[in-house]
Amino acid sequence: MPTQSMLSQPQLQQLAPAVQQYLSRELQVEVGAFDAQFLLDFVAAQIGRQIYNQALEDAQQALSQRMESLQAAIWDLEK
């Protein structure tokens, strides 16, 4: 049973050349587009959720700080 990819096919196709270039330049490993997409899909499945959750946490913290700043501005207006 195939698993659902975290990246769309257009995203995989767009990112694959960068992976191919990186592997060639840094590791002297040549891979085709399919292999690069397969690697991207694997990496996304392994760490994608952690990155996504960290981004959400960062956004929530930034929003919370902004809300505190707005609340302080409102309190200043009340004085």
Side-chain angles (χ1 to χ4, degrees):
M1 172 188 276
T3 60
Q4 176 144 0
S5 176
M6 294 189 74
L7 298 169
S8 69
Q9 191 60 35
Q11 289 171 320
L12 289 169
Q13 290 171 347
Q14 181 183 10
L15 294 168
V19 170
Q20 289 174 288
Q21 291 170 6
Y22 176 81
L23 291 172
S24 176
R25 182 181 64 247
E26 299 297 328
L27 303 174
Q28 291 75 46
V29 173
E30 300 296 326
V31 298
F34 177 79
D35 290 334
Q37 290 177 22
F38 187 79
L39 177 60
L40 278 166
D41 208 23
F42 172 77
V43 170
Q46 295 301 307
I47 65 172
R49 284 181 177 78
Q50 291 85 352
I51 292 171
Y52 178 78
N53 288 338
Q54 183 63 52
L56 287 177
E57 186 177 318
D58 292 347
Q60 190 173 33
Q61 184 177 8
L63 181 58
S64 178
Q65 291 171 350
R66 182 68 177 145
M67 291 302 293
E68 288 175 14
S69 174
L70 290 172
Q71 186 64 46
I74 291 171
W75 286 335
D76 286 344
L77 291 173
E78 289 178 345
K79 294 179 180 176

